[in-house]
Amino acid sequence: MEEKKKKQNIFLKIILVLFLIFISLYLMDNLGYYNIASKDKILTEEKLKEFEKDVKEGNAIDLKKYTKNDTNYKNFYSNIGYKASKSIDTVLNKGLKNIGKILKKLFENEN
């Protein structure tokens, strides 16, 4: 008896990949990733009016003055993440240094 090989459906795989890309882009947009990434480049209505007023009056113009946003995004969860990553970094760095010392002692030439 012949064993039938199961054909892989390439169309379904392509649809699945496109769906995953769509979901990831949708989540990034809804969670505000693009807004945070472009916050320094967007002029608000107030800043735009201030900019136009300064242009009419002939004042010196610095674009950083109109686009700067000092929003603080720190919160409890970001602080926990920062502390956790800092401790993991410390543990890994000390661990790798100790492993290096041990390997150095093992492979030293004894005269």
Side-chain angles (χ1 to χ4, degrees), residues 6-19:
K6 220 176 189 181
K7 288 186 179 179
Q8 294 181 353
N9 196 341
I10 296 174
F11 178 73
L12 287 177
K13 287 183 180 182
I14 292 172
I15 293 295
L16 179 65
V17 168
L18 290 174
F19 180 72

Side-chain angles (χ1 to χ4, degrees), residues 8-68:
Q8 294 181 353
N9 196 341
I10 296 174
F11 178 73
L12 287 177
K13 287 183 180 182
I14 292 172
I15 293 295
L16 179 65
V17 168
L18 290 174
F19 180 72
L20 291 174
I21 291 171
F22 170 77
I23 291 297
S24 63
L25 290 173
Y26 179 78
L27 288 175
M28 284 194 305
D29 185 45
N30 281 338
L31 295 175
Y33 175 79
Y34 291 115
N35 293 337
I36 291 171
S38 65
K39 72 180 169 91
D40 291 336
K41 300 175 183 123
I42 297 175
L43 291 174
T44 61
E45 285 294 321
E46 299 162 355
K47 294 292 184 177
L48 187 59
K49 289 177 184 176
E50 185 180 336
F51 174 76
E52 290 173 351
K53 179 183 171 190
D54 287 345
V55 168
K56 286 180 185 176
E57 293 176 358
N59 295 338
I61 296 174
D62 182 16
L63 291 180
K64 291 180 182 178
K65 174 183 171 187
Y66 305 104
T67 58
K68 191 173 182 183

Side-chain angles (χ1 to χ4, degrees), residues 4-5 9 17 24 38 41-42 50-51 53 63 72 77 80-81 83 88 92 94 98 103 106 108-109:
K4 290 186 177 180
K5 288 188 177 180
N9 196 341
V17 168
S24 63
S38 65
K41 300 175 183 123
I42 297 175
E50 185 180 336
F51 174 76
K53 179 183 171 190
L63 291 180
N72 184 3
Y77 300 108
I80 288 176
K83 289 176 184 175
I88 290 170
L92 287 178
K94 286 182 180 178
N98 290 337
L103 289 175
L106 286 174
E108 282 181 351
N109 289 335

